[in-house]
Amino acid sequence: MIIGAAVMLAWIARPVDLAEAAPLLFAMQFNAALCFVLAGGAVCLLLAGMPRLSAGLSALAGLLAAATLAEHILRVDLGVDQMFITPFVTTGPGPAGRMAPNTALCFLLLSSSVALSALVGRGSPFRVLLAALVFMISTTALIAYLLSVSTAQEWLPLARMSPQSALCFATLSTGLIFGGVIRLGYDLSTVAATLGAATYLLLVLMTYVELMQPADAGALPANGADGHTTLLAVLLLSGIVYAGLIVYAFRNSERSRRMARQLAESQKRLEAIIETAVDGFVTIDERGTILSANPACERIFGYRAEEIIGRNVKLLMPAPYRDEHDQYLANYRTTGVARIIGSGREAEGQRKDGSTFPVELSVSRIDLGHQVLYGGILRDISERKRHERDILDANAELEEFSYRTSHDLRSPIASSLGLVAIAGDMVRRGVPAAELEGVLTRIETSFHKLDHLIQNIIYLTRTKMMDEPESTIPVAVAVRETVERLRHLEGGIAATVHIDIAETMTVRKKASRFQIILDNLLSNAFKYRDPVEVAPEISIRAALVRGRFVLTVADNGLGIAAADEPKLFQMFKRFHPQHAEGSGLGLYILRKSVEQLGGVAAYRRLDKGSLFTVTLPLEDRP
Amino acid sequence: MKMRSILIVDDDENDLFICTYTIQRFDPDIRILKALNGLEALALLKQETPDAIILDINMPVMNGFEFLEHYTREFETHAPVVAMLTSSHHAADRERAMRYDFVRNYFEKPLTPENLQAMARLLGDEPERRASQAAP
């Protein structure tokens, strides 16, 4: 455009002397210069995003060019040539002030290209094609000038264009081509190479035509030497271009080989990670069809990869999710609002056998350009959930324990405080000593109660904390000793105790825990005997049944009401508070001790009395 | 209104003794009814309605809260003052007990004459006699 404006100014200024000194400056006609200003403005406007104005400018330029072309073809004078200005110098053949036919053609092509992209839309391939033609023609002309400046004007019909024009055309068309190409998404270097090759082919073709018809065109200075020079120059140029191409191709192939190798390596690395990952990895397409699944997925869901690839991912979900998943995908497609994409969450999975399990799921969107995939990473968190529940249960139990202990520890102390206050009051009132002694006895029982509770708590913590080695326990001896000790403690109860245990039987257990179990079972049997029963009886048996040690203690005592049975082994439960003092912890301690040894404690109601069974494995669980 | 009868619900023999002694020293005219757990208390309440109830929370068979639940649902008239007696102070327990509109007080064990005075005040029974006794 700038060149166009400069030439236009030059024509208007009419510097005759300058024209004589350098006729080449005026090789571009005024009309051509005007057209360049118009076309340049059009291209600039187009690139700046004003298609309407740009189309108008290019239409003007196109009209001017079409008129000139018509003059050339029809050999008439429409008066276009000297419409604006009368030429004072002429260069080259043809009527004065008329632009060369190929210049006009180029303008026509260029302006159609601009108009096309302005009206049809920005990324039209035609625009690129037309601009490419212009580029080829102008470049050919430029090369022709470079090869033999003196003859260029007449060398070829197509080269009949001033060098300024050629340069301008090359610049404008390059802008048009690359502006369009970027929007169409082609590789820039490919387009450049194609343009170069096409221009080169055109050049060679024209040289060939020239050599075939050396004597034809009258205006051509067709002597042999000149033809040979041109031929040599073209050959030399071809050689240089060819060598350049070979080097380029070599480097290019080298680079693409390296890239392919790197790509293969990174793919292998990625595959290895996915194949050996502990987490399941699934990819699905936009409709939910499974495209891939790794071995961890097979392990988690119980399907082989072939069984699920190609099927809908719903297959891996249980009922509520299964029916909603299609909707999720559809919603995401239409609204773009993601529910889980990008943020991990917990969901449920369904195995091949129909069982469900909790999974932790994170989904990512994989945009491949031509297709959108979703990648899901999932982890079976059943175990974690189970641990969570266990911890919560243990915590609840601990809370209950601390609540109850705080209460039960304070209870006898509160009683003692009240009783001491009463004793003081009695002393002040001077009541008889016998009455005072009754209060002191009450204080004593309160402290015994406290002591008993603390003992039990110590038992309980011992079952939890103590790490003692196993020892061989002679069962019959241990039971006999316990019975005698408890009978003495309870004030020599006249209960009949049957012990049915082989003298030779031994178990290898942690002795103190085993003793806690015996103590609790037997003291309950003594304490909760039926006071109206004429012949209280306790039967203790031990046997090895299918590799397990089974200890049973049966009595004909008070028993447990059916409604209370579920609470039997819980902490701080008392069922016969009137019959004996107790902390409500005995059977809880029993259960905990048995569980510590890997066994189970059970209760069965008898017609009269209770039957407790403790089953222990012969080998301690590791 | 004067406090004429009080029901004590507690499983602990010593606590029953403390309550009885303290009430008798407070006012020998008050009639004392006793129950060892919530179930016994409900049975007794079907016979008569005392002026006040002193209720322990932790009891076997039926604890204080279970008793309150039954007492609300199964009875039309409720003793005007139910004081909860507990051996340890838990904010959650207190909140839970005070949700019943007939539970008016929440004491920590052991029962003291001051607790009884507070109960009497709630019943609008503040005899000068007792005030003059407390003065010297």
Side-chain angles (χ1 to χ4, degrees):
Chain A
M1 197 165 87
I2 294 164
I3 296 176
V7 174
M8 214 155 79
L9 274 175
W11 275 108
I12 294 166
R14 293 171 182 242
V16 183
D17 44 343
L18 188 67
E20 277 162 3
L24 201 60
L25 270 180
F26 295 92
M28 190 195 268
Q29 301 296 336
F30 179 81
N31 279 357
L34 180 67
C35 283
F36 272 123
V37 174
L38 290 174
V43 171
C44 286
L45 284 172
L46 185 72
L47 293 178
M50 291 151 77
R52 278 170 190 285
L53 215 57
S54 151
L57 285 183
S58 64
L60 277 178
L63 216 61
L64 209 57
T68 312
L69 205 60
E71 284 180 339
H72 274 294
I73 293 166
L74 305 173
R75 300 195 182 283
V76 290
D77 194 343
L78 298 176
V80 180
D81 305 333
Q82 299 175 16
M83 196 158 66
F84 303 104
I85 197 164
T86 316
F88 59 97
V89 280
T90 45
T91 49
R98 185 179 294 180
M99 70 174 119
N102 48 354
T103 309
L105 181 69
C106 281
F107 274 123
L108 198 59
L109 291 172
L110 200 65
S111 52
S112 338
S113 167
V114 171
L116 247 178
S117 39
L119 298 176
V120 174
R122 314 205 119 206
S124 148
F126 277 111
R127 157 189 169 175
V128 176
L129 197 69
L130 293 174
L133 272 175
V134 175
F135 179 80
M136 278 156 59
I137 294 168
S138 58
T139 318
T140 312
L142 267 181
I143 292 171
Y145 275 113
L146 283 175
L147 285 177
S148 50
V149 177
S150 58
T151 60
Q153 289 271 355
E154 317 300 337
W155 184 45
L156 285 172
L158 271 175
R160 207 172 292 148
M161 179 191 278
S162 66
Q164 299 99 309
S165 305
L167 192 65
C168 288
F169 278 129
T171 314
L172 284 179
S173 55
T174 309
L176 271 179
I177 291 168
F178 288 102
V181 158
I182 289 164
R183 288 206 189 81
L184 284 174
Y186 294 124
D187 186 32
L188 277 185
S189 55
T190 314
V191 173
T194 313
L195 268 180
T199 312
Y200 177 69
L201 274 178
L202 190 70
L203 200 64
V204 169
L205 191 72
M206 286 186 318
T207 314
Y208 178 76
V209 169
E210 184 200 12
L211 284 178
M212 284 294 100
Q213 307 163 316
D216 191 25
L220 228 96
N223 57 59
D226 203 28
H228 281 299
T229 314
T230 315
L231 190 62
L232 271 175
V234 170
L235 266 177
L236 195 64
L237 191 72
S238 330
I240 291 165
V241 169
Y242 189 64
L245 277 178
I246 286 177
V247 170
Y248 177 75
F250 179 74
R251 285 186 59 105
N252 212 21
S253 75
E254 186 77 340
R255 204 176 59 198
S256 64
R257 250 209 314 279
R258 202 169 53 238
M259 272 169 70
R261 202 174 53 236
Q262 279 170 354
L263 203 64
E265 267 174 25
S266 100
Q267 195 171 1
K268 260 193 197 139
R269 226 174 285 145
L270 200 64
E271 253 168 31
I273 291 169
I274 291 172
E275 291 293 296
T276 55
V278 184
D279 293 344
F281 188 81
V282 186
T283 49
I284 59 170
D285 67 10
E286 272 188 301
R287 274 199 281 300
T289 311
I290 297 175
L291 303 174
S292 76
N294 71 343
C297 242
E298 301 182 324
R299 205 167 49 241
I300 291 170
F301 287 99
Y303 288 101
R304 276 177 295 114
E306 311 86 87
E307 287 178 282
I308 49 172
I309 287 172
R311 300 183 65 180
N312 195 295
V313 74
K314 290 191 288 188
L315 183 74
L316 306 177
M317 304 169 190
Y321 306 96
R322 180 180 289 231
D323 304 327
E324 291 161 14
H325 191 256
D326 281 342
Q327 198 55 47
Y328 287 164
L329 281 174
N331 281 351
Y332 180 64
R333 264 204 309 274
T334 51
T335 65
V337 177
R339 278 165 165 249
I340 45 170
I341 291 171
S343 63
R345 70 154 193 187
E346 283 179 13
E348 255 190 288
Q350 185 167 37
R351 299 193 187 90
K352 191 181 184 182
D353 62 13
S355 56
T356 61
F357 60 99
V359 286
E360 193 175 60
L361 177 67
S362 61
V363 178
S364 54
R365 191 186 143 98
I366 307 168
D367 207 333
L368 294 181
H370 64 287
Q371 193 187 8
V372 173
L373 305 181
Y374 301 100
I377 298 176
L378 30 89
R379 176 178 298 183
D380 184 345
I381 51 169
S382 313
E383 199 154 324
R384 195 173 84 194
K385 284 274 160 194
R386 199 168 51 245
H387 289 320
E388 253 173 47
R389 257 198 317 279
D390 287 351
I391 289 169
L392 285 179
D393 287 350
N395 201 45
E397 197 172 310
L398 207 62
E399 234 166 65
E400 165 83 0
F401 182 78
S402 72
Y403 169 77
R404 289 301 309 242
T405 16
S406 73
H407 177 275
D408 285 25
L409 281 174
R410 158 106 174 116
S411 182
I413 291 171
S415 295
S416 303
L417 285 174
L419 289 166
V420 168
I422 288 170
D425 186 61
M426 281 175 165
V427 169
R428 276 193 299 281
R429 282 166 58 214
V431 296
E435 208 175 314
L436 195 64
E437 212 181 315
V439 178
L440 290 179
T441 314
R442 285 181 188 280
I443 294 175
E444 199 188 340
T445 57
S446 273
F447 278 121
H448 274 307
K449 200 171 145 187
L450 185 64
D451 186 41
H452 178 69
L453 178 69
I454 290 172
Q455 279 294 348
N456 270 339
I457 290 171
I458 290 170
Y459 272 145
L460 206 55
T461 47
R462 200 186 286 165
T463 47
K464 278 188 180 148
M465 316 288 268
M466 203 169 41
D467 192 23
E468 74 169 320
E470 293 188 342
S471 56
T472 306
I473 304 159
V475 183
V477 175
V479 169
R480 258 202 311 276
E481 279 176 9
T482 311
V483 167
E484 288 319 308
R485 182 162 44 83
L486 290 171
R487 196 201 285 274
H488 179 71
L489 270 181
E490 296 286 326
I493 303 149
T496 316
V497 179
H498 306 284
I499 300 176
D500 183 10
I501 300 170
E503 284 300 319
T504 53
M505 180 187 275
T506 57
V507 283
R508 269 194 75 77
K509 290 286 163 217
K510 293 170 180 172
S512 66
R513 276 185 205 165
F514 191 74
Q515 191 59 52
I516 290 171
I517 295 170
L518 279 186
D519 277 357
N520 274 293
L521 280 177
L522 297 179
S523 78
N524 277 347
F526 277 118
K527 279 201 306 200
Y528 301 105
R529 66 188 179 275
D530 189 347
V532 297
E533 174 65 51
V534 191
E537 271 185 70
I538 300 170
S539 300
I540 307 158
R541 287 197 176 78
L544 298 177
V545 184
R546 285 192 289 271
R548 309 195 122 228
F549 170 76
V550 181
L551 176 73
T552 57
V553 176
D555 63 55
N556 58 352
L558 293 165
I560 302 289
D564 290 331
E565 273 182 42
K567 295 183 278 183
L568 192 58
F569 291 102
Q570 291 178 14
M571 64 171 90
F572 296 108
K573 295 293 177 214
R574 303 202 55 216
F575 305 100
H576 302 293
Q578 295 87 347
H579 288 276
E581 283 294 325
S583 61
L585 283 173
L587 285 176
Y588 177 70
I589 293 172
L590 172 79
R591 175 168 70 90
K592 287 280 159 187
S593 301
V594 171
E595 282 172 1
Q596 284 280 319
L597 295 179
V600 278
Y603 166 81
R604 186 149 64 84
R605 197 144 45 89
L606 300 177
D607 289 342
K608 175 90 173 63
S610 313
L611 173 71
F612 282 92
T613 308
V614 168
T615 310
L616 299 175
L618 286 181
E619 297 298 323
D620 252 2
R621 272 192 304 205
Chain B
M1 197 184 110
K2 191 170 151 42
M3 218 162 34
R4 291 183 187 287
S5 58
I6 298 179
L7 168 63
I8 310 167
V9 192
D10 202 318
D11 64 312
D12 190 282
E13 179 59 31
N14 284 341
D15 288 340
L16 278 177
F17 173 78
I18 294 166
C19 287
T20 313
Y21 185 90
T22 312
I23 293 168
Q24 274 174 352
R25 288 283 287 138
F26 178 74
D27 185 347
D29 296 337
I30 295 176
R31 201 159 53 87
I32 297 165
L33 309 160
K34 293 176 192 174
L36 283 175
N37 57 57
L39 211 58
E40 279 186 25
L42 289 174
L44 207 142
L45 284 165
K46 276 178 187 147
Q47 317 289 322
E48 61 173 306
T49 305
D51 292 337
I53 300 174
I54 295 174
L55 181 67
D56 184 24
I57 291 180
N58 279 292
M59 291 179 291
V61 184
M62 184 190 282
N63 71 26
F65 289 120
E66 288 165 338
F67 164 80
L68 287 175
E69 209 34 54
H70 283 277
Y71 194 41
T72 319
R73 276 193 275 117
E74 294 167 21
F75 287 77
E76 296 268 311
T77 52
H78 297 111
V81 177
V82 173
M84 298 295 284
L85 206 53
T86 175
S87 50
S88 64
H89 194 91
H90 283 278
D93 281 354
R94 184 193 166 84
E95 219 171 90
R96 189 173 162 196
M98 298 307 270
R99 266 186 299 207
Y100 298 90
D101 56 357
F102 48 83
V103 175
R104 311 287 282 277
N105 256 325
Y106 192 91
F107 303 131
E108 215 167 274
K109 281 182 181 178
L111 187 73
T112 60
E114 289 75 26
N115 296 154
L116 289 168
Q117 246 160 40
M119 285 171 68
R121 246 195 323 276
L122 272 174
L123 283 172
D125 173 34
E126 184 64 292
E128 274 77 78
R129 180 174 57 86
R130 227 169 273 125
S132 62
Q133 254 183 2

